Amino acid sequence: MPLIMMTGYPSSGKSTRAAELKQLFEERLSQPEHKHRTLSVQIVSDATLGIPHSAYETAFEEKKARGALLSAVQRLVSRETIVIADSLNYIKGLRYQLFCASREMSTPHCVVHCAIPIEEARKINTGRGADGYKENVFDELVMRYEEPNQATRWDSPLFTIIQHDPNDRLPFDRIWDAIVEKRAPPPNFATAMKPVTETNYLFELDRATQEVITAVLEAQKSGVPMSEVLVPGTDTRVQMPGRNLTLAELRRLRRQFTNLNRLVTLKVDRVPELFVEYLNTSL
């Protein structure tokens, strides 16, 4: 499942670029002599999933929307399909989970960042009237937007398009090379995936994730309903799904997370934060 993750502010032109990408892929794949003719192209978006802009007005509905997107992408996992995830994808934890879904199938991925000044995006959103985001929702989404970072493996390869520059075009040939021909840009020191070499890495991975689980279970013992839980090692909080989490549920998610990260070394001090983000997009 070659995966393309669109990301950017609301009303930054992601859907327009996604449709353009789909057309470019289909035109190239339709050439009779092309060796990749069996590939198909699918767009997964809020529109195709029937997710309204109002879903981003509450944390509960937003989490459901993110879960629907992730599930739809996972259902399309196939070596014969190019999947374009055309959604906000504004939280790095969600981009990480989409990256993990792609990696589980040993297929390449990339991120296309539609960069635009906030006021330009606001102008476009206002011009859409009832079809745009409410002003307070737009502001909230912009405030929480986590820009992709080339130095993290789930945001790399990263292709940035300056949306307000009429001369900036989609780098289609480079995107094609990265996910179809699999000629990814050569990694630098910061982005290279390193094999496990530290003898204590797996121990630290297990310890840090277990501490997060223990903190959640201890917080639940108070019997006081809570919307979030602070855990050791990170300022990122576990967003509770409106119910108590079971030990079996937490162990299952911990096992999934550790299995995904056993073959590469994360920075140990970032494990709690990444695990919490994984929980927040999985629960």
Side-chain angles (χ1 to χ4, degrees):
M1 180 196 66
L3 174 64
I4 301 172
M5 288 182 264
M6 309 299 295
T7 185
Y9 291 142
S11 300
S12 60
K14 296 180 295 299
S15 294
T16 300
R17 292 297 190 176
E20 182 183 352
L21 260 179
K22 185 175 188 290
Q23 181 179 351
L24 289 170
F25 274 115
E26 289 177 340
E27 287 175 356
R28 183 168 295 187
L29 292 168
S30 68
Q31 298 172 9
E33 72 282 2
H34 210 286
K35 64 179 180 179
H36 297 291
R37 288 185 65 201
T38 58
L39 285 174
S40 63
V41 187
Q42 296 281 343
I43 292 179
V44 178
S45 66
D46 287 0
T48 64
L49 297 173
I51 298 171
H53 289 338
S54 59
Y56 295 94
E57 294 179 11
T58 66
F60 178 71
E61 290 299 323
E62 183 180 339
K63 184 172 289 188
K64 283 172 57 179
R66 293 201 304 264
L69 174 75
L70 180 60
S71 296
V73 169
Q74 290 173 326
R75 283 196 300 271
L76 287 171
V77 168
S78 166
R79 295 180 183 275
E80 301 301 318
T81 305
I82 297 171
V83 178
I84 302 175
D86 172 28
S87 187
L88 291 170
N89 297 326
Y90 69 101
I91 296 175
K92 59 187 175 183
L94 175 59
R95 295 198 298 271
Y96 176 74
Q97 277 205 293
L98 290 169
F99 158 75
C100 289
S102 175
R103 191 172 70 175
E104 284 176 354
M105 290 299 294
S106 301
T107 56
H109 83 291
C110 73
V111 175
V112 176
H113 178 205
C114 297
I116 189 172
I118 295 174
E119 290 310 312
E120 185 71 20
R122 188 190 305 279
K123 180 180 176 182
I124 294 171
N125 185 66
T126 302
R128 292 175 175 171
D131 292 330
Y133 295 89
K134 291 182 180 178
E135 186 175 353
N136 64 313
V137 176
F138 177 91
D139 290 340
E140 179 72 15
L141 291 171
V142 166
M143 183 182 69
R144 290 189 283 134
Y145 182 69
E146 296 176 319
E147 209 166 285
N149 179 1
Q150 176 82 25
T152 59
R153 64 189 188 281
W154 53 90
D155 284 339
S156 176
L158 173 64
F159 303 98
T160 299
I161 310 162
I162 308 302
Q163 292 287 76
H164 56 292
D165 182 353
N167 297 316
D168 202 8
R169 299 177 179 273
L170 269 172
F172 178 66
D173 288 335
R174 291 165 55 207
I175 294 172
W176 175 274
D177 285 347
I179 71 163
V180 177
E181 301 295 348
K182 302 179 180 63
R183 292 198 294 266
N188 56 30
F189 178 78
T191 60
M193 290 176 61
K194 305 180 291 297
V196 176
T197 55
E198 300 178 28
T199 56
N200 67 335
Y201 170 69
L202 295 180
F203 170 79
E204 293 295 338
L205 181 65
D206 286 343
R207 180 191 60 77
T209 52
Q210 182 59 52
E211 285 182 355
V212 171
I213 287 179
T214 300
V216 172
L217 294 174
E218 287 297 319
Q220 290 182 161
K221 287 181 180 179
S222 68
V224 178
M226 57 191 70
S227 60
E228 57 185 22
V229 174
L230 182 64
V231 299
T234 177
D235 292 331
T236 305
R237 297 170 184 249
V238 177
Q239 302 300 315
M240 301 297 286
R243 58 177 173 81
N244 278 355
L245 301 174
T246 66
L247 177 59
E249 187 176 15
L250 290 167
R251 280 177 172 171
R252 174 177 58 81
L253 291 170
R254 174 174 176 256
R255 184 168 60 252
Q256 291 173 358
F257 179 81
T258 54
N259 286 342
L260 287 169
N261 291 286
R262 283 182 182 277
L263 299 181
V264 293
T265 49
L266 301 173
K267 290 184 178 179
V268 172
D269 60 355
R270 292 210 62 214
V271 169
E273 176 188 357
L274 292 173
F275 183 45
V276 169
E277 289 176 353
Y278 186 82
L279 290 176
N280 287 342
T281 52
S282 299
L283 293 170

